[in-house]
Every structure is written in structure tokens, then in C-alpha cells.
Amino acid sequence: MYQERGSKIWSLTCVSVYVVGVVWMAVDALPEDLVAWLAVSAMFSLVLLAFVAVPVSKYIYHRIDLTPDTLRVGRERIAVADLDPQSIQDALRLARGGSLVQPHRSALTAPEPTGKGYLVDTSRARLVGGAWGVPMGMRPTVIANVNGEQLLIASRDPQALLTALAAACGPAGVKTSS
């Protein structure tokens, strides 16, 4: 129903530059300076690691796959039936620029500004997926499960995610069986 995955252009560009550099050094250095070539290649691989660590982390911890039955964020799976449809509707209303007329039991009762045009409360929510924080370029989306636990999902397009979640959960207060 919905997929959100990061672009691989930056990682492929960094790896390509590394490979071209290592091959260029190999043409000049091999076979006489094998040890020096290996040492310099290993040092440059550490620089490569610094450049691709964040995109790889985003891929592992923040990719989103939504099926009619399961929401998968990073390494975590949540049954769609366990999500609170009212909190999804509230979050969708806020993402579209609306406001909450009355506070609900959802995660959105004490909002704080994010600078992205809508309000969410991220202080009490548990970050879903296994990461430590919301990476740059992604926006926090807070929803609740049926037990009242607040779930924070980092998304590049929160409105599209919430629209797909609303379609998967059905109307607020009505659970659909798939």
C-alpha cells in the first residue's frame, strides 16, 4: 500500500568515487607498492564509511513498508489492527494544516512546533524502527496504538504515510478486517 525508502544516489556516488580512486592508485602503485596501496585504500575506506554511515542507517532503521495487515518501520513490525484510527486521523488533520478542535486520547494532546508547518508532541513518543533519533531530512509523525502508547515515525512524506495508514485502518472508531 505504501513504501518509503531512501535514495541510494549519495551512497553509490561515494562508493564509485572510492573505487575509481583505489583503481587509479592501483594502476600507479602495483605491483611494487602493494603494502602501501593496501594501507592507503584501508584509510580511504574509513573516510568512505563516514560518508555512507547516515544513508545506510536511514535505510536500516527508517524504511517504511505498509501492507493491509502490517506496518514495518526499520526492523520493527506493527499490526495495523493495533493502531488507533483516531490518532491517525488527528495526525493527518495536523499534517494538512488543520487543528484539533478537542483533545483526543491520541499522542497529539500537547503539541510543540516543529518548524515544518504542523505540530506534534515528540517528547513522550517512542521512536519506531530502532534508531536513536529522527534524521535530518525526515519529519516526525506521532500516532498511537490501541493501548495508548505513542509511536513516533520518521518520514520523508508524513502526509502520504498518514493517508495510507488511514486507508489501511479504515474510518476512526471502525476496525476493518483484512
Side-chain angles (χ1 to χ4, degrees), residues 11 20 22-23 28-29 40 48-49 51 61 63 70 81 87 93 97 114 125-126 132-133 147 152 154 156 162 164 175:
S11 298
V20 167
V22 167
V23 168
D28 288 341
V40 171
L48 173 68
L49 180 64
F51 278 99
Y61 297 117
R63 75 175 173 259
T70 307
S87 72
R93 193 173 307 116
T114 63
R126 177 179 65 87
W132 289 20
N147 299 329
L152 187 141
R156 287 176 184 78
L162 291 168
K175 290 289 183 180

Side-chain angles (χ1 to χ4, degrees), residues 28-54:
D28 288 341
L30 294 181
E32 302 89 27
D33 297 325
L34 176 65
V35 174
W37 175 76
L38 287 173
V40 171
S41 297
M43 284 189 288
F44 281 139
S45 70
L46 295 175
V47 174
L48 173 68
L49 180 64
F51 278 99
V52 298
V54 171

Side-chain angles (χ1 to χ4, degrees), residues 31 51 92 138 140 151 173-174:
F51 278 99
L92 186 58
M138 300 181 93
L151 307 172
V174 178

Side-chain angles (χ1 to χ4, degrees), residues 12-34:
L12 290 175
T13 302
C14 291
V15 170
S16 299
V17 168
Y18 172 77
V19 168
V20 167
V22 167
V23 168
W24 182 36
M25 287 187 305
V27 169
D28 288 341
L30 294 181
E32 302 89 27
D33 297 325
L34 176 65

Side-chain angles (χ1 to χ4, degrees), residues 2-177:
Y2 180 78
Q3 280 190 347
E4 188 174 301
R5 297 176 190 249
S7 175
K8 296 178 184 155
I9 293 172
W10 175 256
S11 298
L12 290 175
T13 302
C14 291
V15 170
S16 299
V17 168
Y18 172 77
V19 168
V20 167
V22 167
V23 168
W24 182 36
M25 287 187 305
V27 169
D28 288 341
L30 294 181
E32 302 89 27
D33 297 325
L34 176 65
V35 174
W37 175 76
L38 287 173
V40 171
S41 297
M43 284 189 288
F44 281 139
S45 70
L46 295 175
V47 174
L48 173 68
L49 180 64
F51 278 99
V52 298
V54 171
V56 168
S57 172
K58 282 183 181 181
Y59 179 77
I60 292 171
Y61 297 117
H62 295 290
R63 75 175 173 259
I64 299 171
D65 291 315
L66 176 64
T67 64
D69 299 324
T70 307
L71 170 65
R72 180 176 179 202
V73 180
R75 298 185 290 170
E76 192 168 340
R77 296 175 194 263
I78 303 168
V80 171
D82 291 342
L83 297 175
D84 180 19
Q86 185 61 48
S87 72
I88 294 169
Q89 293 298 327
D90 292 346
L92 186 58
R93 193 173 307 116
L94 286 175
R96 289 181 177 157
S99 64
L100 295 175
V101 176
Q102 55 182 339
H104 293 282
R105 65 182 179 92
S106 71
L108 305 169
T109 56
E112 64 184 37
T114 63
K116 297 292 184 180
Y118 59 95
L119 304 171
V120 294
D121 179 18
T122 59
S123 62
R124 296 174 293 164
R126 177 179 65 87
L127 184 61
V128 178
W132 289 20
V134 177
M136 194 163 55
M138 300 181 93
R139 294 181 286 185
T141 302
V142 178
I143 59 174
N145 64 11
V146 293
N147 299 329
E149 180 185 18
Q150 299 169 356
L151 307 172
L152 187 141
I153 300 171
S155 175
R156 287 176 184 78
D157 189 0
Q159 189 168 348
L161 171 64
L162 291 168
T163 303
L165 278 171
C169 285
V174 178
K175 290 289 183 180
T176 59
S177 59

